[in-house]
C-alpha cells in the first residue's frame, strides 16, 4: 500500500465535515483544522485556476500552522458547481437559491474539485470534474427542498450525500468528488506520501 517505510501523517486543511467523513470512510488517520483563506476569485482567473489556487493555499496554511512539521502532509481542497460558465456559490437567500435550481433543472452541470497534498518539499495536485444531470424540478419542489435547511452551506445549493440525492437524474464520474473530495484521485497521492488507509481506528 505504501512505497516508503516511514508513514506520513495527514492534516486535513479544511473545515468541511463531508471531507472528514470521506477520509474516515477509507480509514485514513488524520487531524483537521479550518484554514483561514480568503475565497475571492481574481479578475481574469478561470474557475479552474481559482479552485486550484484555493486548494494550494489551504494546504500551505495548514502546513505553516503546524508546530510539528516532521512527516506531515497537509491536504487542501475546494469544490465548486459550474452551470455553463457560471460559478454557483453557496446560496445567500431563497431568491438566489431558486434561480440556481431553475438553472440546474433538467440539464447537466459540472462539479469541480481541486485537491492539493503537500509537505515541506513536495506537492501533488489534481483537478477532477464530475458531470451531474438534475431532474426537471418544479417551483414547489424547489421550495420544499429549501425548507429542509440542507442547501444553505452547500456550493450549488445541494448536497448529493443528503436529501439532494433525490434531485439527481444521473451522474458521470466520481461521486466523492461531488461531496468534496475525489477519493480516486486522492488514493495514489496518499500512497506516494506513505499515508496509510484502511486503518481500524482514527486518531
Ligand atoms: C455539490 C455539493 C457540494 N457540497 C459541499 C462540499 C463543500 O463543503 C462545499 C463547498 O465548499 P468548499 O469551500 O469547497 O469547502 P468548505 O467551505 O465546506 O470547507 P473549507 O473551505 O474549510 O475547505 O459544498 C456538498 O456537501 N455536497 C454536494 O453535493
Amino acid at each position: 500500500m505504501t512505497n516508503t517505510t516511514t508513514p506520513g501523517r495527514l492534516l486535513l486543511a479544511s473545515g468541511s465535515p463531508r471531507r472528514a467523513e470521506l477520509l474516515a470512510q477509507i480509514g485514513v488517520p488524520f487531524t483537521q483544522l479550518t484554514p483561514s483563506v480568503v475565497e475571492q476569485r481574481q479578475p481574469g482567473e478561470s474557475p479552474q485556476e481559482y479552485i486550484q489556487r484555493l486548494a494550494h493555499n489551504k494546504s500551505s496554511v495548514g502546513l505553516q500552522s503546524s508546530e510539528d512539521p516532521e512527516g506531515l502532509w497537509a491536504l487542501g481542497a475546494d469544490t465548486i458547481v459550474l452551470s455553463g460558465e457560471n460559478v454557483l456559490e453557496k446560496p445567500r437567500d431563497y431568491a438566489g437559491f431558486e434561480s440556481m435550481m431553475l438553472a440546474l433543472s433538467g440539464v447537466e452541470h459540472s462539479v469541480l474539485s481541486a485537491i492539493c497534498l503537500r509537505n515541506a518539499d513536495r506537492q501533488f495536485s489534481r483537478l477532477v470534474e464530475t458531470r451531474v444531470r438534475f431532474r426537471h424540478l418544479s417551483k414547489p419542489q424547489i421550495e420544499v427542498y429549501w425548507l429542509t435547511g440542507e442547501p444553505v452551506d452547500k456550493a450549488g445549493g445541494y448536497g448529493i450525500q443528503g436529501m439532494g440525492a433525490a434531485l439527481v437524474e444521473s451522474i458521470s464520474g466520481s461521486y466523492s468528488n461531488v461531496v468534496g473530495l475525489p477519493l480516486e484521485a486522492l488514493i495514489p497521492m496518499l500512497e506516494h506520501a506513505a499515508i496509510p488507509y484502511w486503518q481500524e481506528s482514527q486518531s
Side-chain angles (χ1 to χ4, degrees):
M1 176 169 29
T2 59
N3 61 359
T4 67
T5 47
T6 313
R9 291 180 297 123
L10 182 67
L11 171 67
L12 173 61
S14 166
S16 165
R18 277 82 50 169
R19 296 194 177 108
E21 281 162 20
L22 286 165
L23 287 176
Q25 181 189 329
I26 57 168
V28 178
F30 65 97
T31 52
Q32 183 173 14
L33 72 74
T34 303
S36 177
V37 168
V38 177
E39 302 204 11
Q40 175 77 53
R41 206 166 136 198
Q42 301 297 318
E45 189 175 44
S46 72
Q48 290 83 355
E49 290 167 340
Y50 171 53
I51 62 170
Q52 288 177 99
R53 177 171 62 82
L54 288 182
H56 181 268
N57 287 353
K58 288 178 186 181
S59 64
S60 297
V61 168
L63 206 60
Q64 285 158 12
S65 68
S66 172
E67 286 167 9
D68 180 17
E70 185 66 34
L72 189 74
W73 292 79
L75 175 64
D78 202 78
T79 300
I80 53 168
V81 173
L82 259 189
S83 171
E85 294 299 304
N86 297 325
V87 176
L88 304 186
E89 314 271 359
K90 299 172 188 179
R92 291 202 182 86
D93 53 26
Y94 181 67
F97 170 72
E98 187 186 55
S99 61
M100 267 185 211
M101 288 297 112
L102 291 173
L104 297 177
S105 174
V107 294
E108 214 177 34
H109 63 271
S110 289
V111 181
L112 299 174
S113 291
I115 58 174
C116 179
L117 180 67
R118 59 171 305 185
N119 68 5
D121 306 314
R122 300 166 72 196
Q123 76 172 48
F124 306 103
S125 300
R126 283 282 301 275
L127 177 69
V128 180
E129 177 177 18
T130 302
R131 302 283 294 166
V132 179
R133 179 181 288 275
F134 269 18
R135 302 167 57 221
H136 285 280
L137 306 175
S138 67
K139 286 194 174 183
Q141 277 177 319
I142 291 170
E143 187 177 357
V144 172
Y145 183 48
W146 175 256
L147 293 174
T148 66
E150 190 175 89
V152 78
D153 64 339
K154 311 277 189 317
Y158 72 98
I160 200 169
Q161 72 278 19
M163 285 181 265
L167 306 169
V168 174
E169 183 175 290
S170 64
I171 169 170
S172 171
S174 166
Y175 170 82
S176 54
N177 186 50
V178 183
V179 183
L181 192 61
L183 294 178
E184 302 84 352
L186 180 66
I187 293 283
M189 293 183 180
L190 296 178
E191 291 176 344
H192 283 300
I195 295 167
Y197 50 88
W198 294 348
Q199 303 293 294
E200 277 179 25
S201 62
Q202 301 295 298
S203 61

